[in-house]
Amino acid sequence: MHFLKRLTLLMTLTGLGTPLLDIPTVAQPWIGFSDPLRQPESASRDFSNRFSGRTFLVYQPGYVLPASSIPPTPPTPSHKPVPKAYQFALRADVGLSSHLDLQGIWGQTAMRNGRIGLAWLGVKYYLQSDHKHFAFRLAIQPPFSESSISGVDIGGYTETKYRNMFSTEFAMGFRYQRMGLSDEPLVNPETGHRMQHALLRRSGKSIHASRTYRFAFDPAASNLFISLKASAGNMDILPIEVRNYESPSPKPIKEQGGLMSLEIGLSLLRPAWQFSPYFRIPIRQTGAAHDAIRLGANLQLR
């Protein structure tokens, strides 16, 4: 067990030797809840040893909300099909002190794309007062050698424990990402003109919030949880190089979107491990946000 934990930590922090400069920042979603920094998060430390390793699996069956429940806001058509996809990632937590953890996330952190490598590196600070727990996390996205930040994720968490094995959690956060260059067709929502083979630079800002209720059912605090999640953000898309562009000089394009989802799952807790399967369904989405039903599971060795 200790060997597996050390191996997971090594893979997480080194990215299996993958150079940081080879990891594209486009691998991270600009809005949504599928990457490891948006998984159910506790405001209290959930492992007793110095190290914890986690595996995240997410599967997208390909279903989407009915068109009638999504406002037809451009540029994303409400009837756009969602393909089957999956994602895989690892996360390691190292306790540096009684109040401070070092975290690393490694793997394919976006649906259907994203090369394997170190995705986020962060620190998490814990505070405790009576029956309330508080935490704050700051995560930075590599590569760190560039002149400006590729991504920063700031999150705050609270947890309140009540009698009768019931607890509530609240989390909110802010994320900024410069998602690098991508080569793909794009339609300008303002002019309707289509850019063919455009080299694009994307930068996005988003805010996230979640409210979670946990109902424990055994002495180990295994629980059924229900979580309501909301996210909103905007993205600036700047064409750097355009071929066969049908209008005058390219101008920055702005996209906005919002998403609300309901997540229901089960957390089985034991002293050496924790397993949490769940499913998530989008309730409301507008603008450029486009989510589908997701099935996921988290396995933690602690």
Side-chain angles (χ1 to χ4, degrees):
M1 182 71 68
H2 293 290
F3 172 76
L4 290 176
K5 291 183 178 181
R6 292 191 181 97
L7 179 61
T8 305
L9 172 63
L10 181 62
M11 293 167 62
T12 304
L13 297 182
T14 64
L16 286 182
T18 304
L20 294 182
L21 292 177
D22 292 337
I23 303 168
T25 56
V26 74
Q28 302 296 325
W30 73 282
I31 186 171
F33 310 104
S34 288
D35 64 275
L37 287 179
R38 292 291 171 256
Q39 299 298 313
E41 188 77 22
S42 174
S44 57
R45 180 177 283 162
D46 55 5
F47 58 97
S48 55
N49 295 324
R50 184 172 182 136
F51 168 73
S52 169
R54 309 168 200 249
T55 300
F56 298 93
L57 296 173
V58 179
Y59 174 66
Q60 179 177 281
Y63 302 105
V64 69
L65 282 176
S68 59
S69 63
I70 309 176
T73 306
T76 303
S78 61
H79 60 276
K80 180 179 179 181
V82 176
K84 293 183 179 180
Y86 69 91
Q87 115 185 25
F88 166 81
L90 297 176
R91 171 178 148 185
D93 295 63
V94 182
L96 300 180
S97 69
S98 59
H99 297 283
L100 188 66
D101 287 353
L102 174 67
Q103 299 178 341
I105 294 176
W106 171 90
Q108 187 183 40
T109 57
M111 306 299 290
R112 295 191 300 144
N113 60 10
R115 292 174 56 188
I116 293 176
L118 182 63
W120 292 94
L121 188 64
V123 292
K124 187 175 179 180
Y125 182 74
Y126 301 90
L127 288 174
Q128 183 174 349
S129 174
D130 296 330
H131 298 289
K132 294 183 179 295
H133 301 264
F134 306 90
F136 175 83
R137 177 171 59 197
L138 172 64
I140 303 295
Q141 184 181 33
F144 306 110
S145 59
E146 295 188 1
S147 57
S148 59
I149 295 176
S150 296
V152 59
D153 190 286
I154 301 172
Y157 312 89
T158 64
E159 178 182 7
T160 304
K161 296 183 179 294
Y162 302 93
R163 296 180 179 180
N164 302 321
M165 310 287 281
F166 172 65
S167 64
T168 61
E169 299 171 4
F170 177 75
M172 66 180 304
F174 167 80
R175 174 178 292 184
Y176 165 79
Q177 282 183 280
R178 184 167 48 81
M179 281 155 275
L181 301 176
S182 61
D183 190 0
E184 60 183 70
L186 183 72
V187 175
N188 190 325
E190 298 178 358
T191 64
H193 292 106
R194 181 180 179 86
M195 301 183 218
Q196 294 290 344
H197 306 293
L199 193 60
L200 311 172
R201 181 177 293 279
R202 300 168 179 261
S203 61
K205 298 180 289 293
S206 62
I207 57 174
H208 305 260
S210 66
R211 181 71 171 179
T212 304
Y213 301 89
R214 295 185 181 274
F215 306 89
F217 54 81
D218 68 11
S222 298
N223 58 86
L224 170 70
F225 66 86
I226 301 174
S227 182
L228 182 64
K229 298 170 175 284
S231 181
N234 65 74
M235 176 185 289
D236 294 327
I237 306 174
L238 178 63
I240 304 297
E241 175 186 344
V242 180
R243 296 178 295 275
N244 300 325
Y245 186 47
E246 300 177 9
S247 72
S249 58
K251 296 181 180 180
I253 299 173
K254 294 185 179 293
E255 289 186 353
Q256 296 180 341
L259 174 65
M260 182 177 293
S261 298
L262 182 67
E263 192 168 288
I264 301 175
L266 184 67
S267 290
L268 301 176
L269 278 67
R270 294 298 181 266
W273 56 269
Q274 174 179 321
F275 180 63
S276 300
Y278 64 89
F279 71 92
R280 184 173 68 248
I281 55 175
I283 299 176
R284 180 81 172 177
Q285 46 191 325
T286 61
H290 199 68
D291 203 6
I293 294 175
R294 304 281 172 87
L295 306 176
N298 307 332
L299 175 62
Q300 177 189 16
L301 300 179
R302 54 183 189 164

